[in-house]
Amino acid sequence: MFRLVDETSVDTLKLSIEGREYDVPVGISVAAAVLLCGITRLRNTPVSGSPRLPYCMMGICFDCLMTIDGFPNQQACQLEVRENMTIEIQQGAAELLQQR
Ligand code: FES
């Protein structure tokens, strides 16, 4: 679906998406990394379970909510990838957790 324009000069890091390990470029958003890895949904809607992908990529639409490092409702387009990050597709409405 998506690919890097120049794959030769990119520093990468490892992260996990749905339990599978990927190498992704340093400095990109989680949403961009997920798309780059060929994942075709970031969450399922609470009512119908319809799959959703990022739409605006700038923090407006909230279609990119994912569970990241165990915290649900994270806007994947607003977070930069980190080494060993654990990313999961969010199923429906998540419970609200208090972050520190
Ligand atoms: S893609 Fe719209 S808020 Fe993240």
Side-chain angles (χ1 to χ4, degrees), residues 18-70:
E18 288 290 301
R20 186 170 167 195
E21 210 166 85
Y22 294 91
D23 291 316
V24 300
V26 171
I28 66 173
S29 70
V30 172
V34 170
L35 293 172
L36 188 61
C37 293
I39 308 297
T40 56
R41 67 188 158 104
L42 275 69
R43 70 179 182 102
N44 293 329
T45 60
V47 176
S48 68
S50 300
R52 288 291 185 262
L53 284 170
Y55 182 67
C56 70
M57 296 295 277
M58 59 183 189
I60 306 297
C61 73
F62 287 79
D63 264 339
C64 63
L65 296 180
M66 301 193 81
T67 301
I68 299 174
D69 291 335

